[in-house]
Amino acid sequence: YALLVHPLLVSGRTLLPWQVAMPLSSLIIAFSLLMRRPAVFGGFSLAHSLSIYLYFPEEGTRVSKEIFGYIRHPSYAVCIYMSLGFGILRNNLPAVLTALIYVVPTLFEIPLEERELIERFGQEHRRYVERTPALLPRFGDLGRFCKLILLGEQ
C-alpha cells in the first residue's frame, strides 16, 4: 500500500491548471472511496474478510454478485484509481507516472490469482473471467455500476 500514497510525495512541474486538477482528482478519489465498501464487503463473509480461505482454501467460495458482477478485481481497481487520483491531486507528471507504477504489480498478480481460482473453481470461474472485465466495468454497465457504488443498489 505504500505505492498507493507515494504519488503525494513526488514533486515536479505543474501538469494541469489547478481548476482542472482539483475537481478531477477529487472526483477520482471520492469515487475510489465509495467503491471501497462494496469492494471489501460485496458478497464476502467474515471468513473472507479475515483471509481464512488463505489457510483453508477448501472453505473459500466464489463471489460473482454485487460489484463482482461488474469487475473481477474491485480491490485492485480501488487502489489503482486512488493512486491515480493522488497523482493528479499532486498535479505533476512524475506523480502521475508514480501512480501508474501501482498498475505494474497488479498486472502480474491478477493472472496468478485467476489461475489459482480457475484451478479451485474450474469452468465456472473460467466463464466468469471471460464475461467480466478485470478492472473497469463495461461501458454498457456503467450506469448500473455507478448506481451500486453511489446508492448501494443493483
Side-chain angles (χ1 to χ4, degrees):
Y1 291 102
L3 282 174
L4 180 70
V5 296
H6 193 75
L8 290 172
L9 307 174
V10 179
S11 60
R13 291 183 47 206
T14 301
L15 186 62
L16 300 168
W18 70 268
Q19 298 91 337
V20 174
M22 287 300 289
L24 181 60
S25 63
S26 298
L27 183 67
I28 293 170
I29 292 167
F31 193 74
S32 301
L33 291 171
L34 289 170
M35 265 183 72
R36 178 124 174 83
R37 185 201 50 81
V40 173
F41 298 111
F44 279 129
S45 65
L46 179 61
H48 278 92
S49 298
L50 298 174
S51 300
I52 300 296
Y53 69 94
L54 292 174
Y55 303 104
F56 303 102
E58 65 281 356
E59 299 294 322
T61 57
R62 201 178 71 72
V63 178
S64 61
K65 58 186 179 185
E66 294 189 25
I67 196 167
F68 292 90
Y70 298 102
I71 55 177
R72 296 191 315 268
H73 300 282
S75 293
Y76 294 145
V78 165
C79 292
I80 290 169
Y81 302 159
M82 182 137 338
S83 183
L84 184 59
F86 288 156
I88 295 170
L89 178 67
R90 194 68 174 122
N91 196 15
N92 63 69
L93 186 59
V96 172
L97 293 175
T98 301
L100 293 176
I101 289 173
Y102 199 91
V103 175
V104 174
T106 303
L107 293 178
F108 283 104
E109 195 165 347
I110 286 175
L112 296 173
E113 193 173 298
E114 295 293 355
R115 215 169 308 139
E116 178 188 336
L117 291 169
I118 289 170
E119 282 178 26
R120 189 180 304 167
F121 298 112
Q123 289 295 41
E124 183 182 8
H125 191 76
R126 186 180 304 278
R127 284 190 299 277
Y128 171 69
V129 168
E130 290 169 359
R131 73 174 182 266
T132 310
L135 298 169
L136 294 169
R138 286 190 172 86
F139 185 75
D141 291 335
L142 207 49
R144 290 186 301 276
F145 181 75
C146 288
K147 185 177 177 183
L148 173 67
I149 299 307
L150 296 173
L151 305 175
E153 300 173 0
Q154 290 260 4

